[in-house]
């Protein structure tokens, strides 16, 4: 049975599969076109060798995969997704992240995870937003990749100030002991999934918690990495 195709959210051209949300041309246009360090995700001379920053003081995760800087058009889609209650956008945004992961895997042999980890929200913030955007990104990714995901893996045990109002130093202090591991991760290869990584304080705190409890490796996958 034929159905009326949807329109691409960006160029408004018809889509063969309406639930994709973004056509293949616009999907390619959202990708970052500068060389990024494979570990911290910041601009670097090489995309396959860790940058000088990471050689001197590496982050607590081993790899970071991102689609682009927090810039239009992707930043606009993420803003709608999070703040306009557009939870239906999660599948299309997850697909963009999956395409980036598969591209990195083809180029550099990126290992796939045993389990995905979503970044938890404090209960009140979750209630106000109506959903956890990280959980909505994880659900289709876990299905497509055939790996585990359980929203209970990490819990947030105390409220914290909104991160984007704080400096990098205060962000780190703000998140100290804010998370608790609820499920065993011994020997597992883990991926933390988030929508936007800015200073990396949140994912660093979670990565350290996973590694302290025996995780074999930790990667970070995000839609945008603020450069």
């Amino acid at each position: 049975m034929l159905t009326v195709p949807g329109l691409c959210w960006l160029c408004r051209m018809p889509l063969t599969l309406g639930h994709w949300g973004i056509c293949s041309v616009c999907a390619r246009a959202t990708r970052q076109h500068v060389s990024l360090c494979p570990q911290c995700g910041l601009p670097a001379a090489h995309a396959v060798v860790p940058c000088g920053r990471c050689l001197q003081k590496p982050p607590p995760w081993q790899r970071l995969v991102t689609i682009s800087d927090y810039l239009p058009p992707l930043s606009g889609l993420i803003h709608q997704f999070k703040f306009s209650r557009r939870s239906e956008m999660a599948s299309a945004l997850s697909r963009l992240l999956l395409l980036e992961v598969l591209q990195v895997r083809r180029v550099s042999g990126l290992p796939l995870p045993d389990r995905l980890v979503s970044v938890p929200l404090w209960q009140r913030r979750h209630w106000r937003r109506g959903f956890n955007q990280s959980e909505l990104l994880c659900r289709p990714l876990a299905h497509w990749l055939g790996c585990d995901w359980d929203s209970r893996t990490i819990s947030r045990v105390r409220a914290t100030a909104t991160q984007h109002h704080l400096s990098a130093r205060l962000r780190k202090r703000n998140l100290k002991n804010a998370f608790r591991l609820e499920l065993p991760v011994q020997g597992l290869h883990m991926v933390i999934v988030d929508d936007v990584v800015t200073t990396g304080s949140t994912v660093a705190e979670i990565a350290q918690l996973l590694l302290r409890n025996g995780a074999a490796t930790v990667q970070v996958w995000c839609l945008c990495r603020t450069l």
Side-chain angles (χ1 to χ4, degrees), residues 14 52 55 63 77 99 148 178 185 223-224:
L55 292 176
R63 293 292 299 267
L77 296 178
L99 292 174
D148 292 336
V185 297
L223 299 175
C224 290

Side-chain angles (χ1 to χ4, degrees), residues 36-51:
L36 302 178
C37 170
Q39 188 164 8
C40 67
L42 294 175
H46 303 285
V48 295
V49 179
C51 66

